[in-house]
Amino acid sequence: MESSGVPAVMEQAVNATRAQGGRAVVVGNARHGAVLSLNPGVFNQGKSLLGTWGGDSVPDRDYGRFARLLGSGRFPVRICCRSRIRWRRPIRRCKIWRRARSAGR
């Protein structure tokens, strides 16, 4: 997941993605007029690039849902926020979050 908005970092994210099914998600917004250049061979390796606009949220639809999830205790806020995610270990943090989610926390 890339969130800097810097095209060179976006390229690094795609290049660092696992071949045969890896997915890079760009959340960061680059400056107007910026250009991202990619070697098209990365797509022949089975990698994919996914972009978002504002996280693809629809506030009128989503904020009520978020409030209900938080109120029900089904969203693992404490697990997600109890410590800083070290950039060296983001996959571990995602696994912890998934386990908590599947356990109904």
Side-chain angles (χ1 to χ4, degrees), residues 85-95:
I85 296 173
R86 295 186 180 147
W87 285 110
R88 291 173 292 174
R89 304 186 73 177
I91 300 303
R92 181 175 179 272
R93 181 60 61 191
C94 290
K95 288 178 182 174

Side-chain angles (χ1 to χ4, degrees), residues 6-71:
V6 177
V9 178
M10 293 175 186
E11 180 182 2
Q12 289 174 355
V14 173
N15 290 333
T17 301
R18 178 179 55 86
Q20 299 180 4
R23 182 179 303 160
V25 180
V26 174
V27 179
N29 290 323
R31 291 183 183 199
H32 178 73
V35 175
L36 172 62
S37 297
L38 291 174
N39 177 343
V42 298
F43 301 111
N44 295 342
Q45 297 172 15
K47 298 179 180 187
S48 63
L49 174 62
L50 189 67
T52 65
W53 179 255
D56 286 341
S57 69
V58 178
D60 289 341
R61 176 195 69 200
D62 298 335
Y63 287 6
R65 179 172 181 244
F66 298 153
R68 286 189 299 279
L69 281 170
L70 287 168

Side-chain angles (χ1 to χ4, degrees), residues 74-92:
R74 291 177 37 213
F75 190 81
V77 175
R78 286 191 179 103
I79 290 171
C80 294
C81 300
R82 72 177 168 204
S83 64
R84 291 184 180 177
I85 296 173
R86 295 186 180 147
W87 285 110
R88 291 173 292 174
R89 304 186 73 177
I91 300 303
R92 181 175 179 272

